[in-house]
Amino acid sequence: MRVTPTSGSDSLFLASPTSETLSTMLEQLWSVWLPYLVAAVLLIVLGGWSAATRGRRRSARAGELSGPRWIAPPPAFLVPGISLAVLGWFAVSLTDAVSEGDGLATFDLPVWQWMVDHRDPFRTAVAKVVTEIGSTAAMTIVAALCVAWLLYRRRRGDAAMVAVVGIGAAALVFFAKKLLGRTRPPEEFRLVVETNNSFPSGHALASTAILGIVLVLLVRGGAWGPLWVRIVVPVVIVVFWFSIGISRLYLGVHWSTDVLAGWVSGSAWLILCVTVRRLYRSWSDNRDAGGPAAVQPGVTDTDPDAGRPA
């Protein structure tokens, strides 16, 4: 069945898409996304510095360091730095596309139409269950339980990181929605009630950040089950994370670019938090040991509890 939004195509864009309003909002939004790009540049510069001084540090005699003791191997900076640069630029590009109604935003209406055309009672029931489980309230509970468990295991650093990831994700959703003020898809085609703004998707952003940090802690835990469990659990988490975003499109409460922005922003925030934690542990361990950086490429952390199940 072909349907047409009665509110017109303007609902795809900002609530007040005048040139002055768009200019002001884009300037404000840079304050939301720019920190990712700044962090990316800083990490890439530090990665270059680490690579340039690595040979000199290796040739130093035992107990004598010719370079900064806290510096980590180049991949510890370059991989997250490049990732943040790509994700940050993509977030800015999505914001610009949504503001001007071009680029990826041109797919919003066709994707919305396809979702509406392919609704049926079974899919609707599944989508409602998934969206409830993946709600910001549910993700807050997941984060709180994770923090409580980590505190019980005396892993205060990891507990603090989970709390920062959760609080930061909530703040990012709040300010981004307020600054952009994008209108949701037409109300008459929504299958659940939503009252706030559309961009970015809070469900997509929060689930990416929270489930992402849970996955990081599980993988870092090492011996948390047999091989098949270590394969199945991450796959289930990723599939569920993807399903949350799709459910928001199916239920007609978000445009596709809203969900993309949520995934991108949540991933960038997660990478930034994990990287800062990793580098802090590298500096802290070397300050205590007085030796070269202990963090090696491919190791997320050097927490003494890293070998325990998360």
Side-chain angles (χ1 to χ4, degrees):
M1 179 182 65
R2 191 76 178 174
V3 294
T4 303
T6 58
S7 55
S9 59
D10 286 346
S11 62
L12 287 168
F13 314 122
L14 301 179
S16 304
T18 65
S19 58
E20 292 183 1
T21 302
L22 290 180
S23 176
T24 301
M25 286 184 174
L26 286 175
E27 290 177 2
Q28 292 174 325
L29 281 165
W30 270 102
S31 66
V32 177
W33 312 124
L34 187 59
Y36 294 123
L37 299 180
V38 172
V41 172
L42 179 61
L43 288 172
I44 290 172
V45 170
L46 287 174
W49 181 26
S50 176
T53 60
R54 190 162 180 76
R56 185 158 51 92
R57 292 197 308 276
R58 281 178 172 173
S59 63
R61 288 178 302 172
E64 297 181 7
L65 297 177
S66 59
R69 291 192 306 179
W70 62 270
I71 203 74
F77 300 99
L78 292 175
V79 173
I82 294 172
S83 300
L84 282 175
V86 173
L87 292 172
W89 183 253
F90 191 26
V92 172
S93 300
L94 279 172
T95 304
D96 180 68
V98 167
S99 301
E100 299 183 359
D102 56 10
L104 287 176
T106 58
F107 293 96
D108 281 342
L109 190 57
V111 171
W112 173 85
Q113 181 70 68
W114 191 91
M115 291 291 179
V116 172
D117 290 345
H118 289 79
R119 287 173 175 172
D120 64 39
F122 175 75
R123 291 172 183 165
T124 298
V126 171
K128 287 183 176 180
V129 171
V130 170
T131 206
E132 284 299 322
I133 297 176
S135 67
T136 51
M139 290 298 105
T140 300
I141 294 173
V142 170
L145 291 175
C146 189
V147 168
W149 173 251
L150 291 170
L151 289 175
Y152 171 74
R153 297 295 301 274
R154 297 183 180 179
R155 295 173 60 175
R156 292 184 293 273
D158 286 342
M161 182 171 64
V162 173
V164 168
V165 169
I167 294 171
L172 188 57
V173 170
F174 177 81
F175 286 110
K177 284 181 179 289
K178 288 289 185 183
L179 288 173
L180 191 58
R182 191 187 197 190
T183 305
R184 289 183 182 270
E187 186 173 0
E188 60 267 30
F189 297 108
R190 300 178 203 168
L191 299 182
V192 292
V193 177
E194 294 290 352
T195 57
N196 58 2
N197 295 322
S198 187
F199 185 94
S201 167
H203 280 62
L205 196 157
S207 63
T208 299
I210 300 300
L211 295 180
I213 193 60
V214 170
L215 182 57
V216 167
L217 293 175
L218 286 174
V219 172
R220 215 197 81 216
W224 51 278
L227 178 61
W228 71 268
V229 173
R230 283 178 280 165
I231 294 174
V232 170
V233 172
V235 170
V236 170
I237 290 177
V238 171
V239 170
F240 182 63
W241 157 73
F242 180 75
S243 300
I244 292 171
I246 298 301
S247 73
R248 304 303 285 169
L249 299 178
Y250 178 89
L251 295 172
V253 291
H254 277 297
W255 305 108
S256 57
T257 44
D258 300 338
V259 173
L260 283 176
W263 285 338
V264 169
S265 303
S267 298
W269 176 240
L270 174 65
I271 290 172
L272 182 58
C273 290
V274 171
T275 301
V276 170
R277 165 72 170 160
R278 177 183 181 183
L279 296 180
Y280 171 77
R281 290 299 303 172
S282 175
W283 173 83
S284 179
D285 288 348
N286 283 279
R287 178 195 59 189
D288 296 338
V295 175
Q296 299 300 321
V299 179
T300 305
D301 208 337
T302 56
D303 194 319
D305 293 331
R308 300 180 185 176

